[in-house]
Amino acid sequence: MATLTARPANPVDALAQDKRVARALAWLDSNADWVTDQQVAITEIPAPEFHEQERGVFLAKLFRTNGLDVHTDSVGNVIGELAGSRGEEVIVLIAHLDTVFPAGTDVRVKRLKGRLEAPGISDDGAGLASMVGVARAIDQAHLKPQASVLFVAGVGEEGEGNLRGIRALMDEYKGRVRAVIALDGAATDYVTTIGLASRRLDIQVTGPGGHSWSDFGSPNPIAALARGIVQFSTTPVPEEPRTTFNFGVMEGGNSVNSIPAEASVKVDLRSEDDAELLRLESEIRKSFASAVDQEMAAAVPGSESLKLKISVIGIRPGGKLPADSPLLAAIENADRYLGNRSRLERSSTDANLPLSLGIPAIAIGGGGQGGGSHSLEEWYDPAGRELGLKRVLLTLLGVAGVQV
Ligand SMILES: [Zn+2]
């Protein structure tokens, strides 16, 4: 006969019985629409990489009206502090202000049958709004944490921002950060515990340029890059450790009837293993050097040489949350309490930086459903977002503790 063993008690059961915690959970249950309204307002303030300021000012106001002590640091991170009783310790809840969309992109939000559409609505409108929702729930319930909580609307998460927001934050609060929870996008079905390493390169070719007719036969930087891209793209990459590359932006030339004097392409390399990244980078260098040689060999003899310059424009260090981390236990307990199922994931987010420093960090979604991230068709569906909000709150309190 099988013996029944009691399931270990979930610390969240006790936590949720605290009257103020219960009040905060109830607030989230009945104010999801308020959170969605903030998300729309946030998304409609453009925030291209390196131009996050206006959106940051709006977040600062939201933080202030919800009981946080707000300051903006030297790189533009907006930091709202909720002081705790446990000395210097801080827990960071961060979502990113920046989007991948350039200035001039139409960011007005269309509401279609409850579904919201706009560039950036999910990434990271969902994360920012959820963070604000959790701050408001805590304020409404008069909850006081043991560790101080920093609510951070961070800069520079996307693309060439190169994690400068979280880098500056980890530097400012050096030695004090006990855990980082990054809210990135929607969903409740994953927990990112592995930060993928990435390297980003800018590959530039310059040459003499010239007239399309009279200088025909001069070496062409665009053609050289095209040769390099084709050549590198045949490089095999392993499935294990998963390794990827993407040529994401190509620029060059001035007019259709001129041989360009300059062209460039940006490439993103990612891997679960740093060694693979270095291997790919050396393959890139070989492919483009040989592409430039081929283009020169095809040019009229005596042509001025093309010049190749490859610069590293971004390095994201990788890292992994240990399986016995209290932060992982906190989110697993929250999921168990809420009846939510999630899987462990690997990706490249603000969590990479603390993970690379050995600071416990995860990235999770803010709740609801989203898709089309980094495209103009990006969408968000707030149905069921309460679950995500409560999940963030309970995970946060699980690591920060509640003052009795
Ligand atoms: Zn994002």
Side-chain angles (χ1 to χ4, degrees):
M1 208 169 86
T3 43
L4 292 172
T5 45
R7 278 180 99 184
N10 187 344
V12 176
D13 291 332
L15 187 65
Q17 270 162 27
D18 179 294
K19 268 203 197 91
R20 293 155 306 165
V21 176
R23 223 182 295 147
L25 290 169
W27 189 90
L28 291 172
D29 262 326
S30 44
N31 288 277
D33 287 347
W34 182 86
V35 178
T36 303
D37 290 343
Q38 307 316 305
Q39 186 172 344
V40 170
I42 289 165
T43 304
E44 290 188 334
I45 304 170
E49 291 166 28
F50 301 102
H51 299 281
E52 300 101 332
Q53 199 193 354
E54 194 189 343
R55 185 179 284 189
V57 168
F58 185 74
L59 264 295
K61 208 162 36 163
L62 277 174
F63 282 171
R64 232 170 254 126
T65 52
N66 289 294
L68 303 179
D69 187 9
V70 182
H71 77 278
T72 301
D73 71 10
S74 60
V75 296
N77 289 319
V78 176
I79 302 166
E81 180 164 359
L82 180 65
S85 56
R86 219 154 64 194
E88 291 276 274
E89 282 184 34
V90 300
I91 306 293
V92 172
L93 188 63
I94 185 169
H96 65 89
L97 287 165
D98 55 320
T99 71
V100 297
F101 303 99
T105 304
D106 184 357
V107 290
R108 280 170 300 179
V109 177
K110 282 178 268 178
R111 291 194 188 232
L112 305 160
K113 291 186 192 147
R115 192 167 126 143
L116 308 172
E117 284 185 14
I121 186 72
S122 185
D123 181 14
D124 195 15
L128 289 164
S130 300
M131 176 170 65
V132 170
V134 167
R136 188 166 178 84
I138 289 175
D139 188 47
Q140 297 282 313
H142 306 293
L143 256 173
K144 296 271 176 269
Q146 290 176 3
S148 293
V149 177
L150 302 180
F151 294 82
V152 182
V155 298
E157 193 273 344
E158 299 285 7
E160 287 164 49
N162 203 24
L163 304 183
R164 71 183 198 290
I166 186 92
R167 254 179 241 275
L169 191 79
M170 291 300 112
D171 212 43
E172 182 180 348
Y173 291 90
K174 207 180 288 167
R176 296 178 53 192
V177 182
R178 295 294 169 267
V180 176
I181 302 166
L183 301 180
D184 207 335
T188 48
D189 59 351
Y190 72 92
V191 184
T192 296
T193 55
I194 298 179
L196 277 181
S198 73
R199 280 175 91 78
R200 289 163 179 171
L201 309 173
D202 181 72
I203 304 160
Q204 188 196 47
V205 176
T206 49
H211 191 278
S212 63
W213 171 260
S214 53
D215 296 312
F216 180 66
S218 279
N220 185 317
I222 288 182
L225 285 181
R227 289 176 191 271
I229 292 169
V230 170
Q231 194 168 320
F232 174 75
S233 297
T234 62
T235 306
V237 287
E239 265 172 52
E240 246 339 289
R242 186 167 153 80
T243 303
T244 64
F245 59 82
N246 179 55
F247 292 97
V249 179
M250 196 171 185
E251 289 169 318
N254 290 315
S255 76
V256 70
N257 56 349
S258 306
I259 297 169
E262 191 198 319
S264 66
V265 65
K266 289 175 181 153
V267 63
D268 171 75
L269 312 174
R270 298 187 182 205
S271 181
E272 292 169 1
D273 182 349
D274 281 322
E276 274 301 312
L277 281 186
L278 295 176
R279 182 185 70 87
L280 280 192
E281 181 175 340
S282 104
E283 287 301 323
I284 287 253
R285 290 181 186 275
K286 268 190 251 165
S287 296
F288 283 84
S290 111
V292 163
D293 289 347
Q294 285 166 31
E295 180 64 14
M296 285 310 298
V300 287
S303 295
E304 197 183 308
S305 292
L306 293 175
K307 286 193 185 65
L308 172 68
K309 191 177 148 203
I310 299 181
S311 356
V312 178
I313 52 171
I315 299 175
R316 290 189 176 210
K320 188 175 179 179
L321 183 70
D324 60 355
S325 165
L327 176 59
L328 187 59
I331 186 133
E332 283 174 350
N333 290 336
D335 277 342
R336 194 145 57 90
Y337 176 80
L338 295 166
N340 182 51
R341 292 172 73 94
S342 66
R343 61 182 193 280
L344 300 186
E345 269 287 355
R346 51 201 70 199
S347 101
S348 176
T349 67
D350 270 335
N352 276 51
L353 212 270
L355 284 172
S356 78
L357 300 172
I359 297 169
I362 54 173
I364 57 177
Q369 294 298 318
S373 169
H374 295 193
S375 84
L376 295 175
E377 283 75 48
E378 191 169 344
W379 60 272
Y380 179 78
D381 184 344
R385 79 176 313 162
E386 302 84 350
L387 172 67
L389 290 164
K390 291 188 281 188
R391 183 175 188 236
V392 175
L393 177 75
L394 292 172
T395 305
L396 176 67
L397 297 179
V399 280
V402 174
Q403 289 181 35
V404 281

Short mmCIF file of all heavy atoms in Angstrom, two decimals, residues 95-96 98-100 122-125 157-158 183-185 348-350 373-374 378, ligand 1:
data_model
loop_
_atom_site.label_atom_id
_atom_site.label_comp_id
_atom_site.label_asym_id
_atom_site.label_seq_id
_atom_site.Cartn_x
_atom_site.Cartn_y
_atom_site.Cartn_z
N ALA A 95 12.03 46.80 -15.88
CA ALA A 95 11.47 46.61 -17.22
C ALA A 95 12.14 47.68 -18.08
O ALA A 95 12.61 48.69 -17.57
CB ALA A 95 9.96 46.81 -17.20
N HIS A 96 12.21 47.43 -19.39
CA HIS A 96 12.99 48.38 -20.20
C HIS A 96 12.15 49.40 -20.95
O HIS A 96 11.10 49.09 -21.50
CB HIS A 96 13.99 47.66 -21.11
CG HIS A 96 13.39 46.79 -22.19
ND1 HIS A 96 13.07 47.27 -23.43
CD2 HIS A 96 13.09 45.47 -22.22
CE1 HIS A 96 12.60 46.28 -24.18
NE2 HIS A 96 12.59 45.18 -23.46
N ASP A 98 13.29 51.28 -23.59
CA ASP A 98 13.61 51.41 -25.01
C ASP A 98 12.89 50.39 -25.88
O ASP A 98 12.54 49.29 -25.44
CB ASP A 98 15.12 51.30 -25.24
CG ASP A 98 15.74 50.02 -24.67
OD1 ASP A 98 15.33 49.61 -23.57
OD2 ASP A 98 16.60 49.44 -25.34
N THR A 99 12.67 50.80 -27.14
CA THR A 99 12.08 49.90 -28.14
C THR A 99 13.05 49.81 -29.31
O THR A 99 13.99 50.61 -29.41
CB THR A 99 10.75 50.45 -28.70
OG1 THR A 99 11.02 51.59 -29.53
CG2 THR A 99 9.80 50.86 -27.58
N VAL A 100 12.81 48.86 -30.21
CA VAL A 100 13.69 48.73 -31.39
C VAL A 100 13.24 49.64 -32.53
O VAL A 100 13.87 49.67 -33.58
CB VAL A 100 13.72 47.27 -31.92
CG1 VAL A 100 14.30 46.33 -30.88
CG2 VAL A 100 12.33 46.81 -32.34
N SER A 122 3.93 45.14 -26.38
CA SER A 122 4.24 44.02 -25.52
C SER A 122 5.68 44.14 -24.98
O SER A 122 5.91 43.98 -23.79
CB SER A 122 4.06 42.73 -26.34
OG SER A 122 4.24 41.62 -25.53
N ASP A 123 6.60 44.44 -25.85
CA ASP A 123 8.03 44.52 -25.54
C ASP A 123 8.49 45.97 -25.57
O ASP A 123 8.83 46.48 -26.61
CB ASP A 123 8.80 43.68 -26.57
CG ASP A 123 10.29 43.67 -26.34
OD1 ASP A 123 10.72 44.07 -25.25
OD2 ASP A 123 11.02 43.27 -27.26
N ASP A 124 8.48 46.76 -24.50
CA ASP A 124 8.23 46.18 -23.21
C ASP A 124 7.11 46.92 -22.49
O ASP A 124 7.13 47.10 -21.28
CB ASP A 124 9.53 46.17 -22.41
CG ASP A 124 9.47 45.28 -21.19
OD1 ASP A 124 8.55 44.45 -21.11
OD2 ASP A 124 10.31 45.43 -20.31
N GLY A 125 6.08 47.35 -23.31
CA GLY A 125 4.92 48.00 -22.69
C GLY A 125 4.31 47.11 -21.61
O GLY A 125 3.91 47.58 -20.54
N GLU A 157 18.18 48.30 -23.22
CA GLU A 157 18.12 46.84 -23.20
C GLU A 157 18.23 46.27 -24.60
O GLU A 157 18.84 45.24 -24.84
CB GLU A 157 16.81 46.36 -22.55
CG GLU A 157 16.80 44.87 -22.20
CD GLU A 157 16.34 43.94 -23.31
OE1 GLU A 157 15.73 44.43 -24.29
OE2 GLU A 157 16.61 42.75 -23.24
N GLU A 158 17.60 46.96 -25.55
CA GLU A 158 17.54 46.44 -26.92
C GLU A 158 18.82 46.75 -27.70
O GLU A 158 19.52 47.71 -27.40
CB GLU A 158 16.36 47.08 -27.68
CG GLU A 158 14.99 46.81 -27.06
CD GLU A 158 14.48 45.40 -27.33
OE1 GLU A 158 15.23 44.58 -27.88
OE2 GLU A 158 13.32 45.14 -26.98
N LEU A 183 11.26 42.15 -16.11
CA LEU A 183 9.95 41.90 -16.74
C LEU A 183 10.07 42.27 -18.20
O LEU A 183 10.26 43.43 -18.54
CB LEU A 183 8.87 42.77 -16.08
CG LEU A 183 8.68 42.54 -14.57
CD1 LEU A 183 7.60 43.45 -14.04
CD2 LEU A 183 8.33 41.08 -14.33
N ASP A 184 10.01 41.26 -19.05
CA ASP A 184 10.20 41.53 -20.47
C ASP A 184 9.10 40.88 -21.28
O ASP A 184 9.03 39.67 -21.41
CB ASP A 184 11.59 41.03 -20.90
CG ASP A 184 12.12 41.81 -22.09
OD1 ASP A 184 11.30 42.35 -22.85
OD2 ASP A 184 13.35 41.87 -22.27
N GLY A 185 8.20 41.72 -21.82
CA GLY A 185 7.12 41.21 -22.65
C GLY A 185 5.96 40.65 -21.84
O GLY A 185 5.81 40.94 -20.64
N SER A 348 18.13 36.34 -24.08
CA SER A 348 19.05 37.46 -23.87
C SER A 348 18.25 38.66 -23.39
O SER A 348 17.45 39.21 -24.14
CB SER A 348 19.77 37.75 -25.19
OG SER A 348 20.60 38.86 -25.06
N THR A 349 18.41 39.02 -22.13
CA THR A 349 17.62 40.09 -21.53
C THR A 349 18.51 40.86 -20.54
O THR A 349 19.68 40.57 -20.39
CB THR A 349 16.44 39.52 -20.71
OG1 THR A 349 16.98 38.80 -19.58
CG2 THR A 349 15.56 38.59 -21.52
N ASP A 350 17.88 41.80 -19.83
CA ASP A 350 18.58 42.53 -18.78
C ASP A 350 19.14 41.58 -17.72
O ASP A 350 20.08 41.92 -17.01
CB ASP A 350 17.63 43.53 -18.10
CG ASP A 350 17.65 44.90 -18.78
OD1 ASP A 350 18.67 45.24 -19.43
OD2 ASP A 350 16.65 45.64 -18.67
N SER A 373 6.64 40.56 -31.58
CA SER A 373 7.64 41.44 -30.97
C SER A 373 8.71 41.86 -31.99
O SER A 373 9.10 41.07 -32.84
CB SER A 373 8.21 40.65 -29.81
OG SER A 373 9.31 41.22 -29.28
N HIS A 374 9.14 43.09 -31.92
CA HIS A 374 10.12 43.70 -32.84
C HIS A 374 9.56 43.86 -34.26
O HIS A 374 10.32 44.05 -35.20
CB HIS A 374 11.45 42.93 -32.89
CG HIS A 374 12.21 42.96 -31.59
ND1 HIS A 374 13.50 42.59 -31.46
CD2 HIS A 374 11.81 43.34 -30.35
CE1 HIS A 374 13.89 42.72 -30.19
NE2 HIS A 374 12.87 43.17 -29.49
N GLU A 378 3.17 44.12 -33.88
CA GLU A 378 3.19 43.67 -32.48
C GLU A 378 1.81 43.84 -31.83
O GLU A 378 1.13 44.82 -32.05
CB GLU A 378 4.25 44.48 -31.71
CG GLU A 378 4.53 43.92 -30.34
CD GLU A 378 5.76 44.56 -29.70
OE1 GLU A 378 6.56 45.20 -30.42
OE2 GLU A 378 5.90 44.43 -28.48
ZN ZN B 1 12.40 43.38 -24.54
#
